[in-house]
């Protein structure tokens, strides 16, 4: 059974940091690219970042470049998203998702999804 479980969300002040984790099981983690997506209230889901199978290629949305860093630990089948210099507009539910091999920003191409974790940036 495929599972992706996000954790690490919460309430943080503007300028603060959070680290999200995505623990996975039930599929061959080494063969899957993993993406982070987010959905704010009243808005469409958008791609945040993606990491390839080997971890050598990373992609970031322009809105998070220089502030967010994605990494993967293939030994632990876990993905991380380090978020720094958080802004109020980063408030959203964050999801991790998995697809075979290559990254894409098209969420419909990811067959496996976690349940999401809430990130709220507010003073």
């Amino acid at each position: 059974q495929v599972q992706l479980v996000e954790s690490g969300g919460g309430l943080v002040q503007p300028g603060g940091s959070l680290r999200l984790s995505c623990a996975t099981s039930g599929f061959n983690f080494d063969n899957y690219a993993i993406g982070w997506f987010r959905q704010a209230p009243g808005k469409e889901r958008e791609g945040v970042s993606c990491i390839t199978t080997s971890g050598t290629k990373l992609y970031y949305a322009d809105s998070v470049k220089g502030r967010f860093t994605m990494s993967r630990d293939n030994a632990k089948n876990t993905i991380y998203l380090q978020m720094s210099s958080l802004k109020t507009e980063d408030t959203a539910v964050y999801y991790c998702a998995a697809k075979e091999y290559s990254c894409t920003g098209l969420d419909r191409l990811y067959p496996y999804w976690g349940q999401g974790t809430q990130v709220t940036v507010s003073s």
Side-chain angles (χ1 to χ4, degrees):
Q1 181 182 358
V2 173
Q3 284 193 315
L4 294 90
V5 180
E6 301 95 338
S7 61
L11 174 64
V12 63
Q13 291 186 341
S17 299
L18 280 175
R19 189 177 82 153
L20 304 184
S21 299
C22 173
T24 74
S25 61
F27 61 96
N28 190 344
F29 184 76
D30 292 356
N31 290 344
Y32 278 71
I34 307 294
W36 282 100
F37 294 80
R38 66 186 181 186
Q39 188 166 23
K43 294 188 176 181
E44 292 187 354
R45 188 161 56 191
E46 63 173 350
V48 174
S49 63
C50 186
I51 190 166
T52 56
T53 55
S54 62
T56 56
K57 290 187 179 180
L58 295 122
Y59 303 90
Y60 296 97
D62 288 342
S63 58
V64 306
K65 278 181 183 175
R67 300 188 298 120
F68 290 11
T69 302
M70 190 174 180
S71 61
R72 68 188 292 157
D73 186 337
N74 282 16
K76 295 182 178 180
N77 291 356
T78 300
I79 292 290
Y80 304 99
L81 184 67
Q82 178 68 47
M83 306 185 296
S84 303
S85 302
L86 283 162
K87 306 175 181 180
T88 55
E89 51 263 43
D90 294 319
T91 296
V93 177
Y94 283 71
Y95 301 89
C96 59
K99 69 176 290 293
E100 281 191 293
Y101 307 122
S102 60
C103 284
T104 176
L106 298 174
D107 57 358
R108 68 178 185 272
L109 296 183
Y110 289 77
Y112 305 127
W113 289 81
Q115 82 291 347
T117 186
Q118 177 71 47
V119 172
T120 303
V121 184
S122 175
S123 55

